[in-house]
Amino acid sequence: MAAPVRLAYTHVHSFRLASGESSGAEALAARVRLEDGTLGYGFTPNDDAGVARDMAAWDALGRSKGVALPALLGGSHRERIPVEKDDNPAIAPDWPALRKDLLAGRHDLLRIDPFAWGSLEQVVTIAASAAAFDLGVALLAPNAHPWEIQYCAALAATFRGDDTRIVLRISPERNEFEVKGEPGIGIDWSLEPAFGKIQWQG
Amino acid sequence: MARLGIAALRLTRVSIPLTMVHAGSMYVIQKAERTVVELTLENGVTGLGDCWGTPDAYALLQRFGREMLGKDALNRLALREVLGKSTYDNRHGRNGRAAYAGLDLAAWDAVARSLGLPLADLIGARQRESVEVVCTLPAAIVPRAVTRDELTEHLDVLSNTRLVVEFAQEQVRKLGFRNFKLKSAAYSPAWDWKLLNELKEAMPQARIRFDPNANYGPATATALCRRLDGLGLEFFEDPTGEMEGLARLREAVRTPVATNMWVVKDEQLAPAIRRRAVDVVLGDLFMWGGIDALRRMAKVAHAFGLKPALHSVYETGIATAANLHLAAALPEVEYPNDASLHFMSADVLAEPQPVIGGRMRVPQGAGLGVTLDRDKLAALAIETAEVRAA
């Protein structure tokens, strides 16, 4: 389920975050340009640029059509996502091991770091599996960065299970996060000064 | 584009004669009744849906449709929640899911048309331009819609199997089919054994699935499927009933076991995976209750080593096109699509959707990529309802 777009150009750039718990940490940002000229942006706090590119492609599709990510995926099951502090470890991105654990009934709640697991498709498949096995899903925003939380919220809105939440490693300022309706992923890219200084190519 | 409100709904129940009598263990029919859904958004774009045409499903379509008026089609997942699970599921059995699916399909089509995306791209991302399809073979070739007694008399004459073989060969010559689904009356294992052997002998390269619609008991089905195991059939489709029966039969054979009857909703998927009841989940858009449910099934089934496939039975070109888009969008679907449009004597669409070389093209253009032909629709119509807010 890659974003159904025709990319004219993709550029990935590293920069340093200034917000969230990871202030000073390096992140990757991606910008894609569609054949129709629409731009989309993505990021990851990790070193897998594929996550940022995948996010950017979905962002571009949403912007080009004037709709938010959930509308592209089918819609939202909820307008607000519960947010809470949770210190339990996220499930390691090992799909065969997770499948085995699901069959063995070893989880009630799947704590998933979407940036560690990879593409949107992978996260959506995990959420569908959680729904089939009647399990909750907690999307981890690993650094409590507002961009991470917004991406988690856009995905969590589309998950079917009624126990769907966002978890942080710190106490959240509020206990729920409103799903934004802006076109694309809905991230406010102006939050990070360094992002605005990236010299994008293409 | 903040929202795409649903402004109007029009339902037309149609009766479409089949080109021949179709006999199986569930029915002997010569016509198909469907309901065509036209869902118009506030932006003037109309999406098309298709659904069962039984009076029960038609009544539910009107009721559910009234609930959806004014709702945002961009938020298709919430449309289902508007109805409440018990309403479309337990209370009305499969009719509720089918009715919901007809409306859901029209909403997806309307949104895809509004966004300028082919439906396949809205479901996932278009992976292919054409899809291999399966030709249904009736359990027997009979001249009219016979009674069950008349059908069994016909099946008692084993030499009548040659009529089915000749029919299959004709489909190869005319439309290039390489895939067949033999419906079984589940009356005579001897008939099924002889006929399947003759089909394989006449068409050694053909992939053949065998579908008694769960009307053989577990012992009879297991004994028959064990005998058929060496034929190299594509799969046994609902050779017997219920998940436990399928699981036990599956343990006794090497041929894959499929179902479109016992794993038909979210709640049945995990038990089927855990019990290792089947190899193939033949998902039917109208039994699963819409595109998102079917898409989730495909992802989960594939993730756990089952093969998702697409089931259909005597639908208009609208549902046929929807299944082509689903197959194009879901890389998890490897098996050919069920298809029956070539058995319908007429359709409601302007564009023909021919089978060429055993394949059908995924329609191009936004949404389903098909156009309703009002004259054709009127000629097939039994009744029409404009759905209005209560």
Side-chain angles (χ1 to χ4, degrees):
Chain A
M1 205 159 81
V5 292
R6 289 176 184 274
L7 299 178
Y9 201 88
T10 303
H11 182 201
V12 177
H13 203 288
S14 66
F15 69 107
R16 291 205 180 275
L17 296 168
S19 308
E21 293 302 292
S22 55
S23 179
E26 189 176 27
L28 295 178
R31 190 186 81 164
V32 301
R33 182 161 53 81
L34 306 187
E35 288 183 349
D36 68 5
T38 307
L39 299 175
Y41 299 92
F43 83 102
T44 177
N46 303 326
D47 56 6
D48 180 1
V51 175
R53 285 196 300 264
D54 183 60
M55 191 190 305
W58 282 104
D59 188 50
L61 177 62
R63 288 167 183 250
S64 74
K65 302 301 179 187
V67 297
L69 177 66
L72 296 172
L73 300 179
S76 300
H77 283 291
R78 53 193 66 79
E79 295 175 352
R80 293 172 184 279
I81 317 294
V83 185
E84 63 185 31
K85 181 174 187 289
D86 186 330
D87 290 322
N88 292 298
I91 295 170
D94 179 344
W95 189 217
L98 176 55
R99 279 197 303 253
K100 202 178 291 182
D101 286 351
L102 288 175
L103 291 173
R106 293 202 180 97
H107 295 289
D108 293 321
L109 178 70
L110 303 186
R111 292 179 180 81
I112 299 295
D113 174 351
F115 303 97
W117 274 85
S119 66
L120 179 147
E121 158 119 42
Q122 179 68 71
V123 178
V124 165
T125 300
I126 292 170
S129 301
F133 285 85
D134 205 15
L135 305 172
V137 177
L139 288 181
L140 172 66
N143 305 295
H145 191 283
W147 291 357
E148 294 172 353
I149 297 172
Q150 171 55 30
Y151 182 56
C152 289
L155 290 175
T158 69
F159 295 171
R160 179 166 171 267
D162 63 346
D163 182 3
T164 299
R165 46 185 127 151
I166 296 171
V167 292
L168 312 178
R169 296 310 191 203
I170 60 171
S171 296
E173 292 176 6
R174 41 200 171 135
N175 58 10
E176 58 182 18
F177 191 89
E178 191 171 348
V179 180
K180 293 181 180 171
E182 283 91 353
I185 306 287
I187 285 175
D188 178 0
W189 299 104
S190 69
L191 277 176
E192 288 289 347
F195 183 86
K197 293 176 183 164
I198 294 174
Q199 299 293 308
W200 295 107
Q201 295 172 16
Chain B
M1 191 180 294
R3 78 190 299 278
L4 291 173
I6 298 172
L9 272 163
R10 181 184 162 94
L11 308 171
T12 306
R13 200 154 78 87
V14 298
S15 176
I16 306 177
L18 304 179
T19 55
M20 61 185 295
V21 176
H22 282 255
S25 68
M26 294 176 83
Y27 50 70
V28 180
I29 56 170
Q30 207 161 5
K31 66 176 181 181
E33 290 185 348
R34 305 290 300 182
T35 303
V36 173
V37 180
E38 298 170 72
L39 180 151
T40 302
L41 302 175
E42 288 165 356
N43 65 4
V45 172
T46 296
L48 299 175
D50 178 1
C51 175
W52 300 351
T54 60
D56 284 346
Y58 185 66
L60 285 171
L61 276 160
Q62 293 175 67
R63 201 178 119 202
F64 293 175
R66 270 194 292 277
E67 300 285 338
M68 291 185 181
L69 288 173
K71 300 291 189 299
D72 184 3
L74 279 177
N75 201 354
R76 279 131 12 244
L77 300 181
L79 295 178
R80 184 158 161 162
E81 288 169 6
V82 164
L83 303 174
K85 185 177 183 330
S86 59
T87 305
Y88 65 77
D89 187 352
N90 291 340
R91 191 167 176 196
H92 301 290
R94 292 181 177 178
N95 284 315
R97 287 175 172 273
Y100 174 78
L103 297 163
D104 174 78
L105 172 57
W108 277 80
D109 181 35
V111 170
R113 288 175 195 257
S114 298
L115 299 180
L117 287 172
L119 182 61
D121 278 349
L122 192 58
I123 295 170
R126 194 183 184 106
Q127 313 275 332
R128 43 188 159 164
E129 298 304 317
S130 70
V131 176
E132 187 132 24
V133 291
V134 179
C135 178
T136 300
L137 299 175
I141 304 293
V142 290
R144 57 186 170 79
V146 296
T147 64
R148 177 78 182 173
D149 283 346
E150 290 170 320
L151 177 63
T152 56
E153 282 175 23
H154 178 91
L155 297 171
D156 282 335
V157 182
L158 291 180
S159 60
N160 283 334
T161 55
R162 69 176 169 77
L163 298 173
V164 182
V165 177
E166 288 167 5
F167 174 77
Q169 290 173 313
E170 185 185 355
Q171 302 309 303
V172 175
R173 283 194 301 274
K174 284 167 60 177
L175 302 173
F177 277 110
R178 290 180 288 272
N179 304 277
F180 294 91
K181 174 193 289 200
L182 177 66
K183 302 298 287 188
S184 166
Y187 163 73
S188 165
W191 170 281
D192 288 335
W193 161 254
K194 179 171 183 285
L195 176 50
L196 282 163
N197 274 276
E198 290 171 351
L199 286 167
K200 282 302 283 186
E201 188 178 337
M203 306 180 299
Q205 303 304 319
R207 295 205 294 185
I208 302 173
R209 48 187 78 171
F210 172 57
D211 180 15
N213 278 111
N215 266 297
Y216 277 127
T220 305
T222 302
L224 175 59
C225 290
R226 274 185 168 151
R227 287 185 71 199
L228 292 169
D229 221 8
L231 269 185
L233 298 180
E234 184 180 41
F235 52 67
F236 300 132
E237 179 179 336
D238 292 307
T240 189
E242 308 288 346
M243 205 179 296
E244 188 61 26
L246 288 171
R248 293 184 61 190
L249 185 144
R250 180 178 176 273
E251 288 166 0
V253 298
R254 295 187 309 275
T255 306
V257 173
T259 184
N260 81 292
M261 297 174 70
W262 307 108
V263 183
V264 294
K265 56 183 181 178
D266 296 294
E267 294 80 357
Q268 294 167 338
L269 192 50
I273 290 168
R274 284 208 166 102
R275 182 63 182 90
R276 303 179 67 81
V278 294
D279 301 284
V280 182
V281 181
L282 263 173
D284 184 299
L285 185 59
F286 302 99
M287 291 188 195
W288 275 87
I291 284 175
D292 182 61
L294 200 56
R295 181 173 60 177
R296 275 187 286 105
M297 178 279 285
K299 302 286 176 201
V300 176
H302 179 75
F304 285 88
L306 307 185
K307 291 187 180 297
L310 294 169
H311 175 269
S312 79
V313 57
Y314 312 122
E315 299 161 344
T316 73
I318 297 169
T320 301
N323 279 322
L324 292 171
H325 280 276
L326 277 161
L330 299 172
E332 298 85 0
V333 173
E334 297 171 12
Y335 282 109
N337 276 22
D338 279 348
S340 48
L341 193 61
H342 59 288
F343 287 131
M344 312 295 269
S345 66
D347 191 27
V348 298
L349 298 180
E351 306 87 353
Q353 295 186 73
V355 176
I356 299 172
R359 305 182 72 88
M360 296 180 81
R361 285 195 64 76
V362 183
Q364 303 287 319
L368 284 164
V370 298
T371 317
L372 189 65
D373 184 317
R374 293 224 154 272
D375 292 337
K376 290 180 181 175
L377 182 68
L380 298 167
I382 304 171
E383 56 186 322
T384 299
E386 303 281 348
V387 179
R388 301 186 189 287

